[in-house]
């Protein structure tokens, strides 16, 4: 604990206050236990460290046997994912995004699903982390981009939002990969919106800026996803002209019964407006939330109230329904 505390103390560098943290995993070899496998002890300490990081970092843990069980599960998921890529088990679902005033469909967000042969439809929350750690997200993300562009190439009047993981972003030649995909699917770059999270900008360097600028120069829009969570450093809003901010759905969920969330939502709407960025509110589940957000000046709404993420065939049906039925069917 002392080591962790010491490492967490801020220090000064070039006139800036810098804070770094430390996490520690500990494995103890008891005297006389006869254990000679140094690699084993290191592996155990590493596992304990992995657990600290998974639980939020800046702390320490001792190795426990149960951590081995979790490692095995993770390894299982890893090989299952490898197989799934091979067997084409991923599917792309689409969630409608509507104009807050007219409630007309203005875009869709592509969201990946895993059609597991035994477990059925598995949501991304269960595998995105491991896919990012193993790098599989590059293949999965590319599959989502290709599929979504070709599925929606002929839907000329709406935008397509695709999530871009920081791991994909860091891949060499990412702009070329994206422009090749657009060309191959004959998808108009002006209709593509890439959603990135703050973690992409944490690698703040000249290369990150250059990639964002070249994507923008291709005509692609860039949206900041999950706005208000994470590190929430506002300085990047000044550096890069995002086309859209997507306020995190936790703030929307708490609207109405948490004054602080209301205040944050209002402030973010004003912030987006004064920076000339569009604002999308995610996770809209009720009529009331939709109305308040519209009155407050939010541009775009997305959430179960309008439609859950759905396969392409259902989206086509949804798009043809009259406006009133859309909201009712989602309740
Ligand atoms: P996200 O990008 O923030 O996507 C929105 C998530 O909120 C989706 O969860 C969506 O189903 C859910 N959602 C939308 N409206 C509502 C609502 O009214 N109420 C509630 N409770 N939830 C709502 P999903 O599909 O499970 O995706 C979870 C996350 O996984 C996404 O969060 C995104 O970070 C990641 N993800 C999904 N697809 C991809 C992908 O193709 N590539 C990458 N890199 N990440 C993806
Ligand atoms: Ca998103
Ligand atoms: Ca989001």
């Amino acid at each position: 604990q002392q080591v962790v505390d010491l490492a967490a103390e801020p220090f000064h560098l070039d006139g800036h206050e810098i804070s770094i943290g430390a996490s520690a995993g500990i494995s103890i070899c008891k005297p006389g236990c006869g254990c000679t496998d140094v690699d084993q002890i290191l592996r155990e300490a590493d596992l304990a460290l992995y657990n600290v990081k998974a639980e939020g970092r800046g702390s320490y843990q001792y190795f426990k046997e149960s951590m081995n069980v979790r490692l095995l599960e993770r390894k299982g998921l890893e090989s299952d994912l490898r197989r799934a890529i091979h067997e084409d088990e991923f599917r792309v679902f689409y969630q409608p995004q509507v104009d807050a005033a007219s409630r007309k469909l203005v875009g869709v967000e592509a969201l990946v699903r895993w059609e597991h042969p035994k477990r059925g439809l598995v949501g991304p929350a269960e595998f995105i982390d491991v896919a990012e750690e193993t790098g599989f997200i590059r293949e999965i993300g590319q599959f989502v981009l290709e599929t979504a562009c070709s599925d929606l190439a002929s839907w000329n009047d709406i935008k397509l939002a695709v999530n871009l993981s920081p791991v994909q972003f860091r891949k060499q030649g990412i702009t070329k990969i994206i422009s090749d995909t657009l060309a191959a699917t004959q998808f108009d770059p002006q209709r593509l919106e890439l959603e990135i999270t703050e973690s992409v900008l944490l690698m703040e360097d000249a290369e990150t800026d250059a990639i964002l600028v070249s994507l923008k120069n291709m005509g692609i829009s860039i949206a900041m996803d999950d706005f208000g969570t994470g590190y929430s450093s506002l300085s990047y809003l000044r550096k890069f002209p995002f086309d859209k901010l997507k306020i995190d759905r936790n703030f929307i969920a708490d609207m109405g019964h948490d004054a602080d969330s209301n205040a944050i939502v209002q402030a973010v709407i004003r912030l987006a407006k004064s920076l000339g960025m569009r604002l999308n509110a995610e996770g809209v589940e009720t009529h009331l939330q939709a109305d308040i957000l519209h009155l407050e000046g939010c541009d775009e709404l997305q959430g179960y109230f309008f439609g859950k993420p759905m396969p392409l065939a259902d989206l086509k049906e949804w798009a043809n329904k009259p406006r009133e039925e859309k909201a009712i069917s989602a309740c």
Side-chain angles (χ1 to χ4, degrees):
Q1 187 61 58
Q2 282 171 9
V3 172
V4 170
D5 289 346
L6 208 62
E9 273 176 28
F11 56 93
H12 289 92
L13 194 69
D14 264 356
H16 296 281
E17 191 176 84
I18 311 284
S19 310
I20 56 166
S23 304
I26 309 165
S27 174
I28 292 185
C29 175
K30 293 187 188 71
C33 74
C35 170
T36 51
D37 189 351
V38 176
D39 286 342
Q40 165 81 13
I41 304 169
L42 282 174
R43 252 196 318 274
E44 291 179 356
D46 207 31
L47 258 182
L49 175 64
Y50 180 80
N51 270 269
V52 178
K53 288 184 176 170
E55 285 170 18
R57 296 164 188 261
S59 181
Y60 70 93
Q61 277 189 32
Y62 285 97
F63 169 78
K64 286 194 260 13
E65 204 45 49
S66 60
M67 293 176 183
N68 256 333
V69 176
R70 241 188 285 171
L71 180 71
L72 283 177
E73 280 171 8
R74 208 195 104 96
K75 290 270 170 229
L77 180 59
E78 226 176 279
S79 62
D80 217 11
L81 274 176
R82 189 173 292 119
R83 196 212 69 247
I85 293 173
H86 219 248
E87 306 279 326
D88 292 331
E89 287 172 9
F90 295 100
R91 305 286 173 262
V92 183
F93 276 33
Y94 301 96
Q95 185 174 35
Q97 299 175 323
V98 303
D99 178 77
S102 67
R103 306 282 161 98
K104 276 202 187 116
L105 182 69
V106 287
V108 291
E109 178 175 1
L111 293 156
V112 70
R113 298 288 180 268
W114 178 5
E115 205 172 281
H116 195 282
K118 293 201 188 100
R119 297 166 62 196
L121 210 58
V122 179
E126 290 189 46
F127 62 87
I128 289 285
D129 283 356
V130 175
E132 287 188 330
E133 278 166 34
T134 50
F136 293 154
I137 192 68
R138 297 198 189 103
E139 275 151 290
I140 300 172
Q142 179 58 21
F143 164 80
V144 172
L145 181 67
E146 262 169 39
T147 309
C149 286
S150 82
D151 277 355
L152 295 174
S154 61
W155 292 48
N156 287 327
D157 42 357
I158 65 162
K159 281 210 147 200
L160 165 66
V162 177
N163 294 286
L164 192 68
S165 150
V167 180
Q168 280 172 282
F169 195 87
R170 253 174 265 145
K171 188 175 161 66
Q172 276 285 317
I174 182 67
T175 45
K176 170 135 185 9
I177 296 174
I178 293 171
S179 69
D180 286 352
T181 310
L182 290 172
T185 52
Q186 299 190 312
F187 195 92
D188 177 3
Q190 307 277 350
R191 288 178 49 218
L192 181 66
E193 183 161 79
L194 294 172
E195 295 191 359
I196 60 169
T197 50
E198 271 175 352
S199 47
V200 165
L201 301 161
L202 284 183
M203 311 171 274
E204 218 177 301
D205 53 19
E207 206 182 338
T208 308
D209 295 348
I211 295 171
L212 287 173
V213 168
S214 64
L215 290 170
K216 249 196 117 109
N217 288 343
M218 281 158 62
I220 298 170
S221 327
I222 309 288
M224 169 56 51
D225 205 355
D226 305 338
F227 187 75
T229 59
Y231 299 87
S232 295
S233 149
L234 296 176
S235 59
Y236 59 73
L237 292 181
R238 236 180 5 186
K239 280 203 186 149
F240 185 77
F242 290 95
D243 298 278
K244 190 188 280 179
L245 297 183
K246 294 189 79 177
I247 186 163
D248 191 70
R249 69 182 146 95
N250 288 313
F251 298 116
I252 310 300
D254 292 339
M255 268 171 65
H257 50 86
D258 175 28
D260 291 347
S261 286
N262 285 353
I264 291 173
V265 171
Q266 283 168 0
V268 173
I269 293 175
R270 248 172 277 146
L271 178 70
K273 278 218 175 319
S274 42
L275 291 170
M277 298 171 186
R278 286 179 64 75
L279 189 83
N280 168 303
E282 288 190 285
V284 178
E285 293 188 354
T286 68
H287 201 286
L288 190 64
Q289 288 167 347
D291 285 349
I292 297 175
L293 285 161
H294 168 48
L295 287 175
E296 294 287 351
C298 181
D299 304 292
E300 224 174 70
L301 309 174
Q302 178 180 349
Y304 293 173
F305 180 64
F306 299 101
K308 288 192 170 175
M310 55 190 112
L312 182 68
D314 295 0
L315 180 73
K316 286 180 181 158
E317 232 176 80
W318 184 93
N320 289 327
K321 273 188 197 163
R323 192 181 116 175
E324 304 72 35
E325 271 180 48
K326 283 177 183 157
I328 294 163
S329 68
C331 287

